[in-house]
Amino acid sequence: MLTSKKFFVANWKENKTYEEGLSFFREFLKLLTDAPFTDQGVVFCPPYPFLVPFKKELSLYKGNIPVRLGSQDVSQFEQGSYTGEVSARLLKDLVDFSIVGHSERRKYFSETDEEINARIRNCQLVGITPIICVSKESEVATLNINTSERYLLAFEPLNSIGSSHPESLKVVSDFRRCVDYKLTNGAGFLYGGSVDEYNVKSFLGVASVDGVLIGTGSLKLENLYKIVVAL
Ligand code: PGA
C-alpha cells in the first residue's frame, strides 16, 4: 500500500538488459536514500524478470520516499494451462500494483474490454491495486471495477504516448471531471503521456491529478530522478 499524495509510476516496458536494469535500480535507490523527504511515492514497473531481484534490493532500502513494485501486466486467467502467462496469485507476493489495459496491450495484443475486466478482477481478488489505463471515455464506461477495493485510473491519450506531445492540462482536467462517476473514495487519477522533468510539475499541480505514468522519461536515471524530486 502506498499512501503518498502523488504517485510516480515508472513503466520500463520492454527495455533494458538484466545488468542494466539492476544497476539502474540500485543507483536510483541510492539517490532516493539521500533525497529530502517528500510526500510522494514511486511505483516501479520493470519487466517480469526484475521483480524478484528488485524486491530484494528494496528490502535494504532505507529512504523516506516510498518505493513499491508493479507489474506491467497480469494474466486474465486465475491459474492453469496458459503458457507464458503470470497470475495475480503469483504476483501478489512481489508487487502492490499491476498496470492493466495499457494501450500498447490493447493495440499489439488485441486485449478486449472483457479481458481487461478479468485482469482487474484477478488483481482485486488478491489485493493488488490495478492501474487501469484508458485513452477515452468509452473505455471507462466498460470497466467493471470493485469500487470497494483500491484502484487507480490512468488517462493516457494515444497521441501523447512516446511522442513528446503531452496532453494539455485542460483536456486532462476535463477528462478527470467526465470520469468522476467511476472514481469512488480512495481511487486515484493519473495522467500518462510524454511526462518529463520539465512538465511534470504542471500535471501534478492539477489538484485532481494524483500522479503520473512515465515511460520514456523513466529510462534514464538522471531524468527519472529529476521527475521524482521536481515538486
Ligand atoms: P511515455 O509513455 O512517457 O513514453 O509517453 C507513457 C506510457 O506509455 O505509459
Side-chain angles (χ1 to χ4, degrees):
M1 180 64 80
L2 198 55
T3 52
S4 315
K5 284 217 180 98
K6 301 282 180 181
F7 289 79
F8 298 84
V9 181
N11 177 10
W12 272 359
K13 308 189 180 182
E14 192 190 18
N15 289 295
K16 301 203 184 291
T17 64
Y18 195 73
E19 285 309 318
E20 286 166 354
L22 207 52
S23 68
F24 180 119
F25 194 60
R26 284 189 183 131
E27 275 303 304
F28 183 67
L29 293 184
K30 219 183 282 171
L31 286 173
L32 286 196
T33 303
D34 299 332
F37 177 74
T38 50
D39 195 10
Q40 50 220 53
V42 181
V43 180
F44 236 90
C45 301
Y48 285 128
F50 289 119
L51 293 175
V52 171
F54 279 20
K55 190 177 157 84
K56 209 163 143 203
E57 292 298 321
L58 271 181
S59 67
L60 307 169
Y61 170 65
K62 301 260 186 307
N64 288 316
I65 297 178
V67 180
R68 299 287 183 271
L69 294 178
S71 59
Q72 296 178 15
D73 187 27
V74 57
S75 178
Q76 65 176 296
F77 304 108
E78 281 189 55
Q79 65 172 342
S81 302
Y82 302 104
T83 303
E85 290 296 282
V86 183
S87 72
R89 290 211 312 182
L90 185 156
L91 287 169
K92 81 170 168 36
D93 292 324
L94 297 171
V95 305
D96 293 305
F97 297 83
S98 278
I99 297 175
V100 170
H102 191 283
S103 60
E104 286 152 12
R105 299 222 45 99
R106 294 178 194 255
K107 177 175 171 192
Y108 298 119
F109 304 96
S110 310
E111 279 184 17
T112 64
D113 295 335
E114 199 183 326
E115 290 163 355
I116 288 163
N117 282 330
R119 285 168 162 84
I120 294 170
R121 179 175 169 276
N122 288 345
C123 284
Q124 293 194 309
L125 276 177
V126 300
I128 293 174
T129 302
I131 301 171
I132 308 162
C133 299
V134 292
S135 60
K136 48 187 184 220
E137 278 175 67
S138 58
E139 290 173 352
V140 178
T142 61
L143 292 175
N144 188 3
I145 308 169
N146 177 351
T147 51
S148 57
E149 299 286 341
R150 252 170 86 79
Y151 59 97
L152 301 170
L153 197 65
F155 175 42
E156 298 217 299
L158 298 183
N159 292 339
S160 300
I161 296 181
S163 67
S164 316
H165 298 295
E167 191 48 274
S168 72
L169 296 183
K170 180 174 170 1
V171 170
V172 174
S173 42
D174 285 352
F175 188 87
R176 169 66 181 76
R177 235 189 325 276
C178 285
V179 299
D180 192 57
Y181 72 100
K182 274 277 188 207
L183 293 163
T184 46
N185 276 347
F189 179 78
L190 312 181
Y191 166 74
S194 301
V195 172
D196 61 24
E197 64 268 41
Y198 306 106
N199 61 34
V200 64
K201 250 179 153 164
S202 59
F203 287 110
L204 294 180
V206 179
S208 54
V209 173
D210 303 298
V212 287
L213 234 104
I214 314 145
T216 313
S218 70
L219 293 174
K220 285 210 176 114
L221 186 61
E222 59 274 29
N223 295 357
L224 181 62
Y225 180 70
K226 280 186 194 157
I227 291 173
V228 171
V229 296
L231 283 190

